[in-house]
Amino acid sequence: MTAGQRSGSDLVEEQLLAAAEQGRICALAAKGQRDLQRCASAYPDLFPPRPFDPALFGNVAMAIAFGAPWCDEAQLRITNRAVLWGFAVDWQVDYVAKSAEEIERLAARCLAVADGDAPEPDDHLGRFLAELRDELATAPAFATHRSLWRNELAKVLDAMAREWDWKQAGDGGTLPDLETYLDNADNLACTVVNVVHWIHAGDPATLDHLDELIEASGVVQRILRLVNDLGTYERDLRWGDLNALLLVPDRDEVTRRIAGLVAQARELLAPLRATSPVQADYLARQIGFSSGFYRSTDFWGAL
């Protein structure tokens, strides 16, 4: 056997090790799913069984576990919950709210909670956010970076409200072009979750390079917005959601835009490999996981 060849037993061992690692990550996701289901059961008004089915909780926990497989269950708990809160606010804005004024009041309540106010007893979204805020506040880095989290939260709420306005345009109104749509990618709530993850982790190398990480996360968020849209076009049509494919002449324009954004992400992540290698991997794995996941399924359950 030459140096370039491997024996059958070596290949078997390689598969055993790879499957064992994948099994470990899946177990991490299973633990996260159970925690998310407990959260949802505490807020039944926020998480109706349709479309918040068990698979949604599993999909969220799986995405986070595969994005940061070096973390343990305790380290990923708040990240999972931050994603779930993003799904809750997305549902409230897109499908529960009936007016722009209602969305403005929702956003004001959320930002007041982020600033430290106690939510009203019947404000379930605010109560869940207050739980997240209080858990995040136990991290030593929170005091320094609280305003950063609050600013990213405000971007999400603004972006969701803006998309709601676009959806009201209907067939006779003016929809955004692709670049304007991508400028609103904070409605995906990806970067705000990443900021929660980084503040909670409290790693000095991460905290020292938050600005660069957030810049890279913004590009990753745009990629995920478009990858999501390619995978959910039929569902978006049924639900009446906006989708990038509705804004361009053909699908190829979106795939070309994704390729350009991936190249941009590579450029931004390359220097971060030297300063914050773990978090550079975390962002790269978000792209990879979503690119595979959306080829055949979606996070949401059926309406």
Side-chain angles (χ1 to χ4, degrees):
M1 186 171 61
T2 67
Q5 295 175 319
R6 290 180 294 171
S7 68
S9 61
D10 287 339
L11 295 173
V12 168
E13 181 66 16
E14 182 179 286
Q15 290 302 311
L16 285 172
L17 292 174
E21 174 62 7
Q22 291 163 359
R24 184 191 67 79
I25 298 171
C26 288
L28 186 63
K31 293 177 181 178
Q33 176 179 354
R34 295 186 182 112
D35 178 68
L36 292 179
Q37 288 177 310
R38 286 192 293 269
C39 285
S41 67
Y43 295 99
D45 291 328
L46 281 183
F47 302 105
R50 296 168 69 92
F52 290 94
D53 63 1
L56 183 147
F57 306 126
N59 293 338
V60 169
M62 196 159 38
I64 297 304
F66 273 90
W70 45 80
C71 294
D72 60 25
E73 177 188 2
Q75 292 170 312
L76 292 185
R77 187 179 75 163
I78 193 170
T79 312
N80 282 325
R81 292 184 176 190
V83 175
L84 187 62
W85 186 86
F87 272 86
V89 71
D90 186 36
W91 177 254
Q92 292 295 310
V93 170
D94 276 0
Y95 304 104
V96 177
K98 304 303 181 186
S99 68
E101 292 75 20
E102 190 175 343
I103 294 170
E104 288 175 7
R105 290 193 296 270
L106 178 150
R109 292 197 306 270
C110 289
L111 293 177
V113 169
D115 290 334
D117 288 359
E120 296 296 326
D122 61 347
D123 181 6
H124 306 293
L125 189 65
R127 285 172 49 215
F128 190 12
L129 181 61
E131 284 190 21
L132 285 171
R133 176 201 66 199
D134 292 346
E135 183 170 353
L136 189 58
T138 65
F142 182 71
T144 301
H145 299 289
R146 177 176 192 154
S147 63
L148 181 61
W149 168 66
R150 199 264 192 199
N151 289 342
E152 292 299 325
L153 185 66
K155 290 179 185 179
V156 170
L157 295 166
D158 286 345
M160 288 185 176
R162 189 172 299 113
E163 182 168 9
W164 189 91
D165 287 339
W166 287 336
K167 286 169 63 176
Q168 307 318 302
D171 293 335
T174 302
L175 292 176
D177 60 23
L178 183 61
E179 290 309 309
T180 303
Y181 177 74
L182 278 176
D183 286 343
N184 203 51
D186 283 301
N187 70 333
L188 201 63
C190 172
T191 296
V192 71
V193 169
N194 292 341
V195 168
V196 167
H197 181 73
W198 293 328
I199 291 174
H200 187 259
D203 171 59
T206 297
L207 298 175
D208 286 345
H209 297 279
L210 274 179
D211 288 345
E212 300 98 310
L213 286 166
I214 289 172
E215 181 184 6
S217 179
V219 177
V220 171
Q221 186 169 244
R222 290 174 174 228
I223 295 168
L224 301 191
R225 174 72 278 165
L226 294 180
V227 168
N228 176 306
D229 285 359
L230 289 180
T232 63
Y233 176 67
E234 296 297 333
R235 193 259 296 162
D236 287 339
L237 288 181
R238 293 193 304 272
W239 287 23
D241 279 346
L242 197 57
N243 186 293
L245 293 177
L246 299 173
L247 311 176
V248 296
D250 59 68
R251 189 183 185 95
D252 288 345
E253 184 169 345
V254 174
T255 58
R256 288 193 297 270
R257 193 70 181 90
I258 291 173
L261 287 167
V262 169
Q264 184 181 355
R266 290 178 185 274
E267 292 179 3
L268 291 171
L269 291 175
L272 284 168
R273 290 285 309 147
T275 58
S276 305
V278 172
Q279 304 311 333
D281 286 349
Y282 170 74
L283 291 173
R285 290 177 71 91
Q286 286 182 352
I287 300 172
F289 179 88
S290 292
S291 297
F293 181 85
Y294 281 111
R295 288 176 187 172
S296 60
T297 192
D298 183 15
F299 282 84
W300 291 101
L303 282 177

